Structures are given as C-alpha cells and as structure tokens.
Amino acid sequence: MEKIKRKATKMIPELRNLSYERRLQRLELISLEQRRLRGQLIETFKYLNGLNNVTLKGLFERDGNVRTRNNGQKLLLRNFKTSQAMNFFPVKIATTWNQLPENIVSAGTVKIFRNRPDKFWITNPPPSIASY
C-alpha cells in the first residue's frame, strides 16, 4: 500500500522532486505507519475513558505528578530490564500519548479524538514511528 501511495504522490508534477514525507505534508496526508499509530492511540483513548469492553486492570497507569507542561492525562512510563517488555503495547504507546497536546487527549468522544492526531502530525510528525 505504501509503495502505491509513494508512486501516486510522485505523479503530481509540482511535487515530483520532493521527498515522500514532504509530499505527504504538502497534500496534508499521513503515512500508513501514522495511521497504524493513530489506531493504537484511539484504542488507548477508549481504554482510558472506559469506552470499550476490555477489563484489563492496570494496563495503563496515569502519572499523578502535576507539571506545568502537561496534557492532563500523562501515562506513567515504567522501566523494564528486558527488551521484550519494551515491546509491550502500553510501554510503546505511552511516550507518544504523553507528547500529545491537551486539546487532543481531552476530546469528549472517540469521533472528535479520531482526527485530531492527524491534524497535529501535519506540523509535528511523531518521533520514530517505525518502531510501532
């Protein structure tokens, strides 16, 4: 899919010489990796707000530390000794969640939350999304 998207964006003459990331930015599109990450963030949002039927206790732990630069719903980052634990979903997604601004994480519904990361990532791409 990503290869097709790359080729399709190159067909636009004025964007042909730009990098793939710049073409996506100019067209206000996101990559498939970002879509995957957005899906994970939506599931995290639903879990944190009790909007799904999952009864996993302790999957995420909110950081109770109040700071001035806080989105209001920071997740606690746990330290693990093994690399296997670092690939656990809550560990990988917590860093990205904590970097989102307050207007995204405080959305009232999933429908409102769904499109906000896309708009934010147009100007602030998420760091190293290749590992998700």
Side-chain angles (χ1 to χ4, degrees), residues 116-129:
R116 288 185 177 177
D118 296 347
K119 292 175 184 172
F120 177 69
W121 287 335
I122 288 171
T123 55
N124 305 296
S128 65
I129 59 173

Side-chain angles (χ1 to χ4, degrees), residues 4-132:
I4 295 168
K5 198 172 187 179
R6 283 180 188 271
K7 286 181 181 181
T9 58
K10 269 194 170 183
M11 291 178 161
I12 302 169
E14 49 280 352
L15 302 179
R16 187 170 289 146
N17 296 327
L18 297 176
S19 70
Y20 178 60
E21 290 76 21
R22 291 287 300 148
R23 290 193 307 266
L24 290 177
Q25 209 172 31
R26 292 283 274 295
L27 296 169
E28 295 186 3
L29 297 173
I30 61 170
S31 69
L32 294 177
E33 291 176 5
Q34 286 174 318
R35 285 180 59 140
R36 204 172 299 122
L37 179 57
R38 181 185 63 175
Q40 292 173 346
L41 288 171
I42 290 169
E43 291 305 313
T44 302
F45 177 84
K46 289 181 352 186
Y47 177 83
L48 291 172
N49 291 291
L51 301 173
N52 55 9
N53 296 329
V54 178
T55 56
L56 300 172
K57 293 182 180 177
L59 185 62
F60 294 103
E61 197 174 331
R62 293 186 194 262
D63 188 353
N65 214 351
V66 179
R67 299 181 192 123
T68 52
R69 294 182 185 171
N70 190 342
N71 67 15
Q73 296 189 33
K74 293 258 185 206
L75 299 176
L76 190 62
L77 296 172
R78 300 178 186 157
N79 293 326
F80 293 98
K81 295 180 182 178
T82 65
S83 61
Q84 290 174 334
M86 294 302 292
N87 292 323
F88 188 48
F89 171 71
V91 177
K92 291 175 78 170
I93 203 69
T95 303
T96 303
W97 179 268
N98 290 344
Q99 292 173 348
L100 294 174
E102 184 177 3
N103 71 321
I104 295 177
V105 299
S106 64
T109 65
V110 175
K111 189 174 183 178
I112 293 169
F113 178 84
R114 183 173 285 131
N115 295 321
R116 288 185 177 177
D118 296 347
K119 292 175 184 172
F120 177 69
W121 287 335
I122 288 171
T123 55
N124 305 296
S128 65
I129 59 173
S131 62
Y132 288 93

